[in-house]
Amino acid sequence: MSTRAARLLGRPYALGSAQLPNRIVMAPMTRAFSPGGVPGADVAAYYGRRAAAGTGLIITEGTYIDDPSAGDVPTVPFFHGEASLAGWADVVAAVHGAGGRIMPQLWHVGITREAGKAPFPEAPSVGPSGVALDGTEGAGEALTAAGLDRIIGAFAEATRQAERIGFDGVELHGAHGYLIDEFLWDRTNRRTDGYAGGPAERARFAAEIVAAVREQVSPDFPVVFRFSQWKGGNYDAKLAHTPDELGTVLTPLADAGVTAFHASGRRYWEPEFPEWDAELNIAGWARKVTGLPTITVGSVGLDQVFAPEMFAGGDAHAGVSGVEKLLDRLEDDEFDLVAVGRALLADPEWARKVLEGRESELVPFSKAALGTLH
């Protein structure tokens, strides 16, 4: 047994009403193995294996809320409809039966959706202002007030269903250039109403979603909010250029009822604002400016950082890296929980092996891991 890994990563943690057996989280990763939006027995077994091998909290792949413009991949699971919700109930049972905890990630892809694509080809692409992530105008449709209310309601209803089914919380996907993030980012949010302006005004839509979600569930039901500085195809993007700006973005969300922030960085060891602190990463800063628990993520357990070719063409792979530097930061209370992505995709037993000091047995990530729900 690796005393230090077990002592630090192996500690239980109370995240609202969710009693987590340890600090290891499975990061959400789109798999698209749910035909018709319905997660089947293979999806339940996939998540159940990771829970059985010691992953304390599983955050599912992104799931589409009940809006026809929410997504454009017909095999990504829905989080609405009788069949899909019944499939998710089976996933919850598999994870709980293995001793784990699980939250769905609720998702609307926003302006990144290509209009005309399934599962609802008649649906438009929508966003804050009809501005694409690269700044191109005329991309899709700008959401009306009625459209905003409809989407806020869809997030709230999905959360209500999540608690009803037995999930241990929810995560709202507010990162990587998808809909909620498009409101947070000044490049894509060029509205002229109360949802745009400075960082606090741009956070209004996200805060209204959090407040609506919070109204639908028990007071201590965990609501995690995932955010990022970087966007798809733009790794230099910034929601906030200073710690004060980050606080201005996140504080309205905290006030609205967020339980914890999942801070998506590409490299957990990189300082976010080195002029202010030479070490603190984005999760550390989120914890510092809000006082709330945070989840760190970004190339944990790998010797290569995230890059598009890891999931798109080529034969890219990533070797295995140790976790000592990660443990240093966890011991310093920089963040509270650690999300593992590709390393856990490649090796379902990542948590058990690390906690038991068997890192030499870890399976390195390769693109082959993407082709199956092993």
Side-chain angles (χ1 to χ4, degrees):
M1 176 70 72
S2 173
T3 303
R4 190 165 188 244
R7 178 170 60 84
L8 295 172
L9 283 171
R11 292 173 296 166
Y13 189 78
L15 185 63
S17 60
Q19 301 297 314
L20 309 183
N22 59 49
R23 305 301 179 98
I24 300 172
V25 179
M26 182 177 183
M29 292 172 284
T30 297
R31 302 311 317 278
F33 281 91
S34 298
V38 179
D42 55 346
V43 175
Y46 162 76
Y47 288 120
R49 272 190 293 277
R50 284 150 179 84
T55 304
L57 171 63
I58 289 169
I59 302 176
T60 74
E61 61 207 284
T63 68
Y64 294 151
I65 62 168
D66 189 9
D67 183 80
S69 297
D72 56 8
V73 179
T75 52
V76 164
F78 297 167
F79 209 83
H80 58 89
E82 184 177 347
S84 294
L85 293 176
W88 281 120
D90 291 341
V91 174
V92 171
V95 170
H96 285 174
R101 301 291 179 264
I102 185 168
M103 302 179 181
Q105 187 189 68
L106 305 179
W107 191 22
H108 192 303
V109 304
I111 209 69
T112 68
R113 180 181 185 273
E114 183 178 338
K117 294 188 70 175
F120 301 104
E122 71 283 0
S125 174
V126 299
S129 314
V131 178
L133 295 189
D134 64 1
T136 303
E137 297 186 5
E141 299 179 5
L143 281 162
T144 63
L148 295 178
D149 289 343
R150 182 185 71 249
I151 290 170
I152 291 169
F155 274 105
E157 174 61 14
T159 303
R160 187 182 74 82
Q161 293 291 349
E163 186 175 36
R164 179 186 69 81
I165 291 169
F167 278 94
D168 300 290
V170 298
E171 176 171 281
L172 306 176
H173 197 340
H176 306 161
Y178 297 117
L179 181 66
I180 297 175
D181 195 24
E182 291 162 13
F183 275 82
L184 295 174
W185 195 26
D186 56 4
R187 173 179 284 186
T188 45
N189 185 349
R190 301 180 188 175
R191 298 176 71 92
T192 56
D193 58 11
Y195 291 94
E201 290 75 22
R202 295 196 301 274
R204 176 181 169 185
F205 179 58
E208 289 184 355
I209 291 173
V210 173
V213 157
R214 178 52 69 202
E215 289 179 357
Q216 293 297 317
V217 293
S218 304
D220 57 352
F221 187 74
V223 176
V224 177
F225 189 92
R226 195 178 209 210
F227 77 96
S228 67
Q229 297 269 46
W230 64 274
K231 319 300 170 197
N234 188 338
Y235 297 118
D236 296 323
K238 297 284 186 184
L239 288 182
H241 295 85
T242 68
D244 284 347
E245 284 188 5
L246 184 65
T248 302
V249 172
L250 299 184
T251 296
L253 310 183
D255 291 344
V258 164
T259 307
F261 287 102
H262 188 176
S264 180
R266 295 181 67 208
R267 308 170 176 93
Y268 77 83
W269 58 86
E270 287 192 344
E272 187 58 38
F273 301 115
E275 305 95 318
W276 284 266
D277 190 300
E279 299 293 334
L280 212 58
N281 72 8
I282 185 66
W285 276 111
R287 191 177 193 267
K288 186 170 184 176
V289 301
T290 66
L292 292 179
T294 59
I295 306 170
T296 197
V297 71
S299 302
V300 174
L302 303 178
D303 62 9
Q304 293 183 33
V305 300
F306 171 84
E309 58 268 23
M310 291 293 181
F311 293 91
D315 296 318
H317 66 281
V320 174
S321 177
V323 296
E324 285 304 311
K325 292 181 179 179
L326 178 74
L327 297 178
D328 291 342
R329 291 171 176 266
L330 188 60
E331 190 164 32
D332 288 342
D333 292 326
E334 185 173 342
F335 37 75
D336 303 277
L337 300 164
V338 175
V340 184
R342 286 165 292 146
L344 191 52
L345 193 65
D347 193 339
E349 296 202 350
W350 190 92
R352 177 180 293 153
K353 290 176 182 178
V354 168
L355 291 174
E356 293 180 356
R358 297 158 51 206
E359 291 183 50
S360 63
E361 301 176 25
L362 290 170
V363 178
F365 171 81
S366 71
K367 277 182 55 185
L370 303 178
T372 180
L373 287 176
H374 77 96

